[in-house]
PDB file of all heavy atoms in Angstrom:
ATOM      1  N   PHE A   1       0.783  -1.227   0.031  1.00 98.00           N
ATOM      2  CA  PHE A   1       0.021  -0.057   0.046  1.00 98.00           C
ATOM      3  C   PHE A   1       0.807   1.172   0.040  1.00 98.00           C
ATOM      4  O   PHE A   1       1.884   1.272   0.793  1.00 98.00           O
ATOM      5  CB  PHE A   1      -0.923  -0.017   1.281  1.00 98.00           C
ATOM      6  CG  PHE A   1      -1.995  -1.020   1.133  1.00 98.00           C
ATOM      7  CD1 PHE A   1      -1.884  -2.267   1.742  1.00 98.00           C
ATOM      8  CD2 PHE A   1      -3.236  -0.720   0.478  1.00 98.00           C
ATOM      9  CE1 PHE A   1      -2.858  -3.111   1.670  1.00 98.00           C
ATOM     10  CE2 PHE A   1      -4.235  -1.624   0.394  1.00 98.00           C
ATOM     11  CZ  PHE A   1      -4.058  -2.777   0.956  1.00 98.00           C
ATOM     12  N   MET A   2       0.481   2.182  -0.814  1.00 97.00           N
ATOM     13  CA  MET A   2       1.159   3.495  -0.823  1.00 97.00           C
ATOM     14  C   MET A   2       0.022   4.573  -0.567  1.00 97.00           C
ATOM     15  O   MET A   2      -0.584   5.032  -1.622  1.00 97.00           O
ATOM     16  CB  MET A   2       1.798   3.747  -2.139  1.00 97.00           C
ATOM     17  CG  MET A   2       2.924   2.724  -2.584  1.00 97.00           C
ATOM     18  SD  MET A   2       3.665   3.013  -4.111  1.00 97.00           S
ATOM     19  CE  MET A   2       4.440   4.419  -3.899  1.00 97.00           C
ATOM     20  N   THR A   3      -0.179   4.875   0.652  1.00 97.00           N
ATOM     21  CA  THR A   3      -1.259   5.892   0.922  1.00 97.00           C
ATOM     22  C   THR A   3      -0.539   7.297   0.904  1.00 97.00           C
ATOM     23  O   THR A   3       0.573   7.454   0.957  1.00 97.00           O
ATOM     24  CB  THR A   3      -1.764   5.651   2.334  1.00 97.00           C
ATOM     25  OG1 THR A   3      -0.752   5.563   3.195  1.00 97.00           O
ATOM     26  CG2 THR A   3      -2.603   4.355   2.287  1.00 97.00           C
ATOM     27  N   GLY A   4      -1.350   8.324   0.887  1.00 97.00           N
ATOM     28  CA  GLY A   4      -0.885   9.720   0.789  1.00 97.00           C
ATOM     29  C   GLY A   4      -0.164   9.896  -0.602  1.00 97.00           C
ATOM     30  O   GLY A   4       0.913  10.672  -0.604  1.00 97.00           O
ATOM     31  N   SER A   5      -0.449   9.183  -1.603  1.00 97.00           N
ATOM     32  CA  SER A   5       0.324   9.147  -2.842  1.00 97.00           C
ATOM     33  C   SER A   5      -0.537   9.299  -4.028  1.00 97.00           C
ATOM     34  O   SER A   5      -1.733   8.981  -4.010  1.00 97.00           O
ATOM     35  CB  SER A   5       1.094   7.870  -2.956  1.00 97.00           C
ATOM     36  OG  SER A   5       1.934   7.595  -1.864  1.00 97.00           O
ATOM     37  N   ARG A   6       0.016   9.822  -5.130  1.00 96.00           N
ATOM     38  CA  ARG A   6      -0.744  10.023  -6.362  1.00 96.00           C
ATOM     39  C   ARG A   6       0.123   9.602  -7.539  1.00 96.00           C
ATOM     40  O   ARG A   6       1.302   9.941  -7.512  1.00 96.00           O
ATOM     41  CB  ARG A   6      -1.341  11.358  -6.438  1.00 96.00           C
ATOM     42  CG  ARG A   6      -0.388  12.525  -6.674  1.00 96.00           C
ATOM     43  CD  ARG A   6      -1.117  13.877  -6.582  1.00 96.00           C
ATOM     44  NE  ARG A   6      -0.162  14.987  -6.774  1.00 96.00           N
ATOM     45  CZ  ARG A   6      -0.045  15.592  -7.965  1.00 96.00           C
ATOM     46  NH1 ARG A   6      -0.872  15.169  -9.028  1.00 96.00           N
ATOM     47  NH2 ARG A   6       0.804  16.509  -8.167  1.00 96.00           N
ATOM     48  N   VAL A   7      -0.503   9.130  -8.579  1.00 97.00           N
ATOM     49  CA  VAL A   7       0.099   8.812  -9.869  1.00 97.00           C
ATOM     50  C   VAL A   7       0.138  10.172 -10.669  1.00 97.00           C
ATOM     51  O   VAL A   7      -0.884  10.674 -10.961  1.00 97.00           O
ATOM     52  CB  VAL A   7      -0.595   7.824 -10.581  1.00 97.00           C
ATOM     53  CG1 VAL A   7       0.165   7.520 -11.873  1.00 97.00           C
ATOM     54  CG2 VAL A   7      -0.647   6.466  -9.841  1.00 97.00           C
ATOM     55  N   THR A   8       1.392  10.593 -11.146  1.00 96.00           N
ATOM     56  CA  THR A   8       1.505  11.749 -11.863  1.00 96.00           C
ATOM     57  C   THR A   8       1.738  11.627 -13.399  1.00 96.00           C
ATOM     58  O   THR A   8       1.549  12.491 -14.140  1.00 96.00           O
ATOM     59  CB  THR A   8       2.642  12.716 -11.306  1.00 96.00           C
ATOM     60  OG1 THR A   8       3.814  11.954 -11.491  1.00 96.00           O
ATOM     61  CG2 THR A   8       2.382  13.067  -9.853  1.00 96.00           C
ATOM     62  N   GLN A   9       2.169  10.389 -13.675  1.00 96.00           N
ATOM     63  CA  GLN A   9       2.534  10.061 -15.151  1.00 96.00           C
ATOM     64  C   GLN A   9       2.622   8.650 -15.328  1.00 96.00           C
ATOM     65  O   GLN A   9       3.005   7.792 -14.498  1.00 96.00           O
ATOM     66  CB  GLN A   9       3.909  10.715 -15.412  1.00 96.00           C
ATOM     67  CG  GLN A   9       4.307  10.687 -16.856  1.00 96.00           C
ATOM     68  CD  GLN A   9       5.674  11.347 -17.178  1.00 96.00           C
ATOM     69  OE1 GLN A   9       6.106  12.105 -16.476  1.00 96.00           O
ATOM     70  NE2 GLN A   9       6.356  10.841 -18.161  1.00 96.00           N
ATOM     71  N   MET A  10       2.200   8.265 -16.558  1.00 95.00           N
ATOM     72  CA  MET A  10       2.298   6.932 -16.999  1.00 95.00           C
ATOM     73  C   MET A  10       2.970   6.825 -18.324  1.00 95.00           C
ATOM     74  O   MET A  10       2.705   7.692 -19.303  1.00 95.00           O
ATOM     75  CB  MET A  10       0.968   6.263 -17.165  1.00 95.00           C
ATOM     76  CG  MET A  10       1.012   4.736 -17.562  1.00 95.00           C
ATOM     77  SD  MET A  10      -0.597   4.133 -18.302  1.00 95.00           S
ATOM     78  CE  MET A  10      -0.329   4.805 -19.946  1.00 95.00           C
ATOM     79  N   THR A  11       3.942   5.994 -18.505  1.00 95.00           N
ATOM     80  CA  THR A  11       4.746   5.774 -19.699  1.00 95.00           C
ATOM     81  C   THR A  11       4.672   4.362 -20.087  1.00 95.00           C
ATOM     82  O   THR A  11       5.088   3.376 -19.346  1.00 95.00           O
ATOM     83  CB  THR A  11       6.162   6.265 -19.556  1.00 95.00           C
ATOM     84  OG1 THR A  11       6.211   7.542 -19.020  1.00 95.00           O
ATOM     85  CG2 THR A  11       6.918   6.110 -20.766  1.00 95.00           C
ATOM     86  N   PRO A  12       4.155   4.039 -21.183  1.00 94.00           N
ATOM     87  CA  PRO A  12       4.207   2.712 -21.807  1.00 94.00           C
ATOM     88  C   PRO A  12       5.617   2.225 -21.923  1.00 94.00           C
ATOM     89  O   PRO A  12       6.468   2.902 -22.468  1.00 94.00           O
ATOM     90  CB  PRO A  12       3.498   2.702 -23.158  1.00 94.00           C
ATOM     91  CG  PRO A  12       2.701   3.963 -23.157  1.00 94.00           C
ATOM     92  CD  PRO A  12       3.437   4.898 -22.305  1.00 94.00           C
ATOM     93  N   VAL A  13       5.921   1.033 -21.525  1.00 95.00           N
ATOM     94  CA  VAL A  13       7.163   0.364 -21.609  1.00 95.00           C
ATOM     95  C   VAL A  13       6.936  -1.163 -22.060  1.00 95.00           C
ATOM     96  O   VAL A  13       5.741  -1.541 -21.997  1.00 95.00           O
ATOM     97  CB  VAL A  13       7.970   0.387 -20.337  1.00 95.00           C
ATOM     98  CG1 VAL A  13       8.341   1.779 -19.806  1.00 95.00           C
ATOM     99  CG2 VAL A  13       7.276  -0.407 -19.172  1.00 95.00           C
ATOM    100  N   GLN A  14       8.054  -1.825 -22.432  1.00 93.00           N
ATOM    101  CA  GLN A  14       7.850  -3.118 -22.780  1.00 93.00           C
ATOM    102  C   GLN A  14       7.362  -3.975 -21.753  1.00 93.00           C
ATOM    103  O   GLN A  14       7.749  -3.983 -20.591  1.00 93.00           O
ATOM    104  CB  GLN A  14       9.283  -3.807 -23.250  1.00 93.00           C
ATOM    105  CG  GLN A  14       9.095  -5.208 -23.887  1.00 93.00           C
ATOM    106  CD  GLN A  14      10.412  -5.650 -24.374  1.00 93.00           C
ATOM    107  OE1 GLN A  14      11.398  -4.933 -24.348  1.00 93.00           O
ATOM    108  NE2 GLN A  14      10.437  -6.890 -24.962  1.00 93.00           N
ATOM    109  N   GLY A  15       6.170  -4.641 -21.952  1.00 92.00           N
ATOM    110  CA  GLY A  15       5.521  -5.600 -20.977  1.00 92.00           C
ATOM    111  C   GLY A  15       4.604  -4.751 -20.053  1.00 92.00           C
ATOM    112  O   GLY A  15       4.103  -5.471 -19.043  1.00 92.00           O
ATOM    113  N   GLY A  16       4.312  -3.497 -20.371  1.00 95.00           N
ATOM    114  CA  GLY A  16       3.269  -2.851 -19.472  1.00 95.00           C
ATOM    115  C   GLY A  16       3.523  -1.343 -19.446  1.00 95.00           C
ATOM    116  O   GLY A  16       3.722  -0.664 -20.445  1.00 95.00           O
ATOM    117  N   SER A  17       3.560  -0.799 -18.146  1.00 95.00           N
ATOM    118  CA  SER A  17       3.512   0.593 -18.008  1.00 95.00           C
ATOM    119  C   SER A  17       4.615   0.898 -16.870  1.00 95.00           C
ATOM    120  O   SER A  17       4.799   0.161 -16.020  1.00 95.00           O
ATOM    121  CB  SER A  17       2.233   1.103 -17.558  1.00 95.00           C
ATOM    122  OG  SER A  17       1.298   0.806 -18.437  1.00 95.00           O
ATOM    123  N   ARG A  18       5.118   2.195 -16.854  1.00 96.00           N
ATOM    124  CA  ARG A  18       5.956   2.694 -15.808  1.00 96.00           C
ATOM    125  C   ARG A  18       5.264   3.949 -15.335  1.00 96.00           C
ATOM    126  O   ARG A  18       4.848   4.880 -15.936  1.00 96.00           O
ATOM    127  CB  ARG A  18       7.319   3.189 -16.351  1.00 96.00           C
ATOM    128  CG  ARG A  18       8.283   3.730 -15.390  1.00 96.00           C
ATOM    129  CD  ARG A  18       9.663   3.770 -15.768  1.00 96.00           C
ATOM    130  NE  ARG A  18      10.228   2.498 -15.910  1.00 96.00           N
ATOM    131  CZ  ARG A  18      11.080   2.082 -16.924  1.00 96.00           C
ATOM    132  NH1 ARG A  18      11.637   2.999 -17.769  1.00 96.00           N
ATOM    133  NH2 ARG A  18      11.479   0.813 -16.978  1.00 96.00           N
ATOM    134  N   LEU A  19       4.879   3.890 -14.019  1.00 97.00           N
ATOM    135  CA  LEU A  19       4.236   4.978 -13.291  1.00 97.00           C
ATOM    136  C   LEU A  19       5.085   5.756 -12.422  1.00 97.00           C
ATOM    137  O   LEU A  19       6.019   5.261 -11.692  1.00 97.00           O
ATOM    138  CB  LEU A  19       3.122   4.418 -12.390  1.00 97.00           C
ATOM    139  CG  LEU A  19       2.026   3.461 -13.122  1.00 97.00           C
ATOM    140  CD1 LEU A  19       1.019   2.964 -12.037  1.00 97.00           C
ATOM    141  CD2 LEU A  19       1.360   4.187 -14.174  1.00 97.00           C
ATOM    142  N   LYS A  20       4.953   7.090 -12.551  1.00 97.00           N
ATOM    143  CA  LYS A  20       5.622   7.960 -11.572  1.00 97.00           C
ATOM    144  C   LYS A  20       4.654   8.275 -10.452  1.00 97.00           C
ATOM    145  O   LYS A  20       3.424   8.705 -10.637  1.00 97.00           O
ATOM    146  CB  LYS A  20       6.032   9.277 -12.319  1.00 97.00           C
ATOM    147  CG  LYS A  20       7.284   9.192 -13.079  1.00 97.00           C
ATOM    148  CD  LYS A  20       7.733  10.550 -13.556  1.00 97.00           C
ATOM    149  CE  LYS A  20       9.084  10.357 -14.329  1.00 97.00           C
ATOM    150  NZ  LYS A  20       9.583  11.690 -14.843  1.00 97.00           N
ATOM    151  N   ILE A  21       5.022   8.026  -9.199  1.00 97.00           N
ATOM    152  CA  ILE A  21       4.115   8.161  -8.108  1.00 97.00           C
ATOM    153  C   ILE A  21       4.798   9.113  -7.063  1.00 97.00           C
ATOM    154  O   ILE A  21       5.993   8.992  -6.738  1.00 97.00           O
ATOM    155  CB  ILE A  21       3.940   6.785  -7.395  1.00 97.00           C
ATOM    156  CG1 ILE A  21       3.228   5.901  -8.451  1.00 97.00           C
ATOM    157  CG2 ILE A  21       3.045   6.988  -6.131  1.00 97.00           C
ATOM    158  CD1 ILE A  21       3.061   4.446  -7.853  1.00 97.00           C
ATOM    159  N   GLU A  22       3.956  10.161  -6.711  1.00 96.00           N
ATOM    160  CA  GLU A  22       4.500  11.256  -5.867  1.00 96.00           C
ATOM    161  C   GLU A  22       3.886  11.041  -4.443  1.00 96.00           C
ATOM    162  O   GLU A  22       2.662  10.773  -4.412  1.00 96.00           O
ATOM    163  CB  GLU A  22       4.022  12.628  -6.394  1.00 96.00           C
ATOM    164  CG  GLU A  22       4.513  13.800  -5.603  1.00 96.00           C
ATOM    165  CD  GLU A  22       4.047  15.077  -6.165  1.00 96.00           C
ATOM    166  OE1 GLU A  22       3.095  15.111  -7.016  1.00 96.00           O
ATOM    167  OE2 GLU A  22       4.588  16.187  -5.752  1.00 96.00           O
ATOM    168  N   SER A  23       4.725  11.157  -3.459  1.00 93.00           N
ATOM    169  CA  SER A  23       4.175  11.188  -2.138  1.00 93.00           C
ATOM    170  C   SER A  23       4.999  12.056  -1.161  1.00 93.00           C
ATOM    171  O   SER A  23       5.921  12.720  -1.740  1.00 93.00           O
ATOM    172  CB  SER A  23       4.270   9.680  -1.478  1.00 93.00           C
ATOM    173  OG  SER A  23       5.724   9.276  -1.372  1.00 93.00           O
ATOM    174  N   SER A  24       4.776  12.057   0.070  1.00 88.00           N
ATOM    175  CA  SER A  24       5.653  12.953   0.932  1.00 88.00           C
ATOM    176  C   SER A  24       7.158  12.498   0.985  1.00 88.00           C
ATOM    177  O   SER A  24       7.953  13.311   1.448  1.00 88.00           O
ATOM    178  CB  SER A  24       4.999  13.054   2.453  1.00 88.00           C
ATOM    179  OG  SER A  24       4.950  11.587   2.889  1.00 88.00           O
ATOM    180  N   ASN A  25       7.371  11.279   0.607  1.00 87.00           N
ATOM    181  CA  ASN A  25       8.756  10.783   0.638  1.00 87.00           C
ATOM    182  C   ASN A  25       9.407  11.088  -0.692  1.00 87.00           C
ATOM    183  O   ASN A  25      10.502  10.556  -0.963  1.00 87.00           O
ATOM    184  CB  ASN A  25       8.681   9.315   0.751  1.00 87.00           C
ATOM    185  CG  ASN A  25       8.128   8.866   2.162  1.00 87.00           C
ATOM    186  OD1 ASN A  25       8.358   9.543   3.081  1.00 87.00           O
ATOM    187  ND2 ASN A  25       7.393   7.824   2.176  1.00 87.00           N
ATOM    188  N   GLY A  26       8.782  11.879  -1.564  1.00 93.00           N
ATOM    189  CA  GLY A  26       9.337  12.171  -2.834  1.00 93.00           C
ATOM    190  C   GLY A  26       8.674  11.293  -4.059  1.00 93.00           C
ATOM    191  O   GLY A  26       7.599  10.758  -3.861  1.00 93.00           O
ATOM    192  N   MET A  27       9.514  11.310  -5.163  1.00 95.00           N
ATOM    193  CA  MET A  27       8.936  10.730  -6.386  1.00 95.00           C
ATOM    194  C   MET A  27       9.580   9.289  -6.594  1.00 95.00           C
ATOM    195  O   MET A  27      10.787   9.188  -6.272  1.00 95.00           O
ATOM    196  CB  MET A  27       9.263  11.585  -7.561  1.00 95.00           C
ATOM    197  CG  MET A  27       8.569  11.073  -8.746  1.00 95.00           C
ATOM    198  SD  MET A  27       6.774  11.548  -8.956  1.00 95.00           S
ATOM    199  CE  MET A  27       6.889  13.427  -9.127  1.00 95.00           C
ATOM    200  N   GLN A  28       8.767   8.255  -6.983  1.00 95.00           N
ATOM    201  CA  GLN A  28       9.404   7.009  -7.236  1.00 95.00           C
ATOM    202  C   GLN A  28       8.649   6.445  -8.523  1.00 95.00           C
ATOM    203  O   GLN A  28       7.563   6.875  -8.842  1.00 95.00           O
ATOM    204  CB  GLN A  28       9.228   6.100  -6.066  1.00 95.00           C
ATOM    205  CG  GLN A  28       7.957   5.785  -5.640  1.00 95.00           C
ATOM    206  CD  GLN A  28       7.999   4.854  -4.366  1.00 95.00           C
ATOM    207  OE1 GLN A  28       8.368   3.612  -4.535  1.00 95.00           O
ATOM    208  NE2 GLN A  28       7.585   5.355  -3.155  1.00 95.00           N
ATOM    209  N   GLU A  29       9.283   5.418  -9.087  1.00 96.00           N
ATOM    210  CA  GLU A  29       8.692   4.796 -10.269  1.00 96.00           C
ATOM    211  C   GLU A  29       8.423   3.391  -9.977  1.00 96.00           C
ATOM    212  O   GLU A  29       9.251   2.785  -9.321  1.00 96.00           O
ATOM    213  CB  GLU A  29       9.785   4.950 -11.477  1.00 96.00           C
ATOM    214  CG  GLU A  29       9.888   6.360 -11.829  1.00 96.00           C
ATOM    215  CD  GLU A  29      10.865   6.394 -13.245  1.00 96.00           C
ATOM    216  OE1 GLU A  29      11.535   5.465 -13.416  1.00 96.00           O
ATOM    217  OE2 GLU A  29      10.770   7.481 -13.843  1.00 96.00           O
ATOM    218  N   ILE A  30       7.397   2.938 -10.548  1.00 96.00           N
ATOM    219  CA  ILE A  30       6.978   1.496 -10.406  1.00 96.00           C
ATOM    220  C   ILE A  30       6.501   0.983 -11.812  1.00 96.00           C
ATOM    221  O   ILE A  30       5.773   1.625 -12.520  1.00 96.00           O
ATOM    222  CB  ILE A  30       5.694   1.329  -9.520  1.00 96.00           C
ATOM    223  CG1 ILE A  30       6.144   1.736  -8.123  1.00 96.00           C
ATOM    224  CG2 ILE A  30       5.254  -0.149  -9.522  1.00 96.00           C
ATOM    225  CD1 ILE A  30       5.050   1.579  -7.131  1.00 96.00           C
TER     226      ILE A  30
END
């Protein structure tokens, strides 16, 4: 679970998507 977080961008990549997720801990990609 990633609460207090929001998806800011989606980029299609091989095999699916890469999401940029912003939270109080900064930005990360999944």
